[in-house]
Amino acid sequence: MSTGRYRIQSVAEMTGVSAATLRAWERRYGLPAPRRSSSAYRLYSDRDVERIRRVRELCDAGMAPSEAARTVLATDDEAAVAARVEADNDELAVQRILEAVDHFDPDRIEAAVKSSLFLGPAVTLFERVFSPALVQIGERWARGSISVAQEHLAAEILGNTMRFLLRLVQPEHARRQVVLACFADEEHTGPLYGVGMRLATWSVKSIVLGARTPPEAVRHTIEQLRPDIVGLSATIAPAPDRLHALLDGYAEACGATPWIVGGLASEAMREPLVARGGHVAPTAKERFHELIHTLCPLDPNTGE
């Protein structure tokens, strides 16, 4: 089930459908179907938002709201079946990669990764196959069920593939560019490529600096390339003294350039990060897009 995350006023702003109309559609047509918070507030999921947008598009094309709602609900039934098939294929691709890693077979890992390339666009592959595979590989290494060598081999093969995919999807004539880098003590570069692929769908070019990027390197990049935003990734939060020193360094290096920190450790460093002028990357795609658009206004002609 999709998680409810947006209040009704936010959904109204995101979709262009008034709160009163949203309530009326819910009462008359059963769409959308928000969950309720403990305080009885409506909470809408990303799926609800997408459904509302589709109903509005049909209404704008001349269809009656009742018919538009029925059409979207019927389409969703068909889409649910297709989504289950896609999910099964994605899970099978992940399992093939994991089995190849367990057998410590480089050719088999390469073959499993290559076969997954037919499952969808780059950002979908990252979110549904490569990222879950990397997470599970890391968990297996932490449990001691695979060796450091196996983890490094898998990370190298997957990393090469993600770098290649990001190069393929980079927008040719981007008006905006973002620098992506890992914290100075961070080795895991996978999330950088995932973010880069997502940004590419919004016509934003990514410049990836990679692992263990100190503040001095960020400063030099900003001076030479003048990016619109700097994005930093951290999987594990450094010790407090080290964290504060790094945040001071990144804040000074970025100066007037907006900077965002994402990754598993980002929420844990929210207070000192925000105090230094940085931003925590939202996990929801819609909210991340809103933050990027706010910090780095995109092409008004395309809305991307």
Side-chain angles (χ1 to χ4, degrees), residues 131-188:
S131 181
L134 285 168
V135 169
Q136 293 186 56
I137 289 167
E139 292 173 348
R140 292 184 181 199
W141 170 79
R143 293 196 305 266
S145 58
I146 64 172
S147 68
V148 173
Q150 287 169 284
E151 190 270 342
H152 280 201
L153 175 64
E156 181 68 11
I157 292 173
L158 285 165
N160 287 337
T161 303
M162 291 186 289
R163 281 189 288 271
F164 172 72
L165 289 175
L166 179 57
R167 288 198 299 271
L168 285 181
V169 300
Q170 290 275 32
E172 293 184 8
H173 305 292
R175 296 174 131 186
R176 299 291 184 267
Q177 62 181 10
V178 173
V179 165
L180 300 174
C182 290
F183 256 54
D185 302 330
E186 178 62 54
E187 294 278 4
H188 298 89

Side-chain angles (χ1 to χ4, degrees), residues 59-79:
C59 290
D60 289 345
M63 189 176 289
S66 58
E67 184 180 356
R70 284 196 300 271
T71 300
V72 169
L73 289 172
T75 303
D76 275 357
D77 290 340
E78 298 173 1

Side-chain angles (χ1 to χ4, degrees), residues 104-241:
F104 208 169
D105 187 333
D107 292 336
R108 189 171 169 183
I109 299 173
E110 291 276 10
V113 171
K114 286 179 181 177
S115 68
S116 71
L117 298 179
F118 298 97
L119 295 178
V123 68
T124 300
L125 287 175
F126 175 82
E127 293 174 351
R128 298 184 182 178
V129 179
F130 299 152
S131 181
L134 285 168
V135 169
Q136 293 186 56
I137 289 167
E139 292 173 348
R140 292 184 181 199
W141 170 79
R143 293 196 305 266
S145 58
I146 64 172
S147 68
V148 173
Q150 287 169 284
E151 190 270 342
H152 280 201
L153 175 64
E156 181 68 11
I157 292 173
L158 285 165
N160 287 337
T161 303
M162 291 186 289
R163 281 189 288 271
F164 172 72
L165 289 175
L166 179 57
R167 288 198 299 271
L168 285 181
V169 300
Q170 290 275 32
E172 293 184 8
H173 305 292
R175 296 174 131 186
R176 299 291 184 267
Q177 62 181 10
V178 173
V179 165
L180 300 174
C182 290
F183 256 54
D185 302 330
E186 178 62 54
E187 294 278 4
H188 298 89
T189 58
L192 301 182
Y193 302 116
V195 171
M197 293 172 199
R198 174 58 63 192
L199 291 172
T201 67
W202 302 332
S203 300
V204 181
K205 180 181 179 180
S206 298
I207 300 167
V208 181
L209 300 185
R212 292 183 172 274
T213 306
E216 295 79 9
V218 172
R219 183 200 311 276
H220 188 212
T221 304
I222 290 174
E223 290 173 350
Q224 296 299 312
L225 302 181
R226 303 295 181 186
D228 296 282
I229 299 178
V230 170
L232 301 170
S233 177
T235 302
I236 300 175
D241 289 345

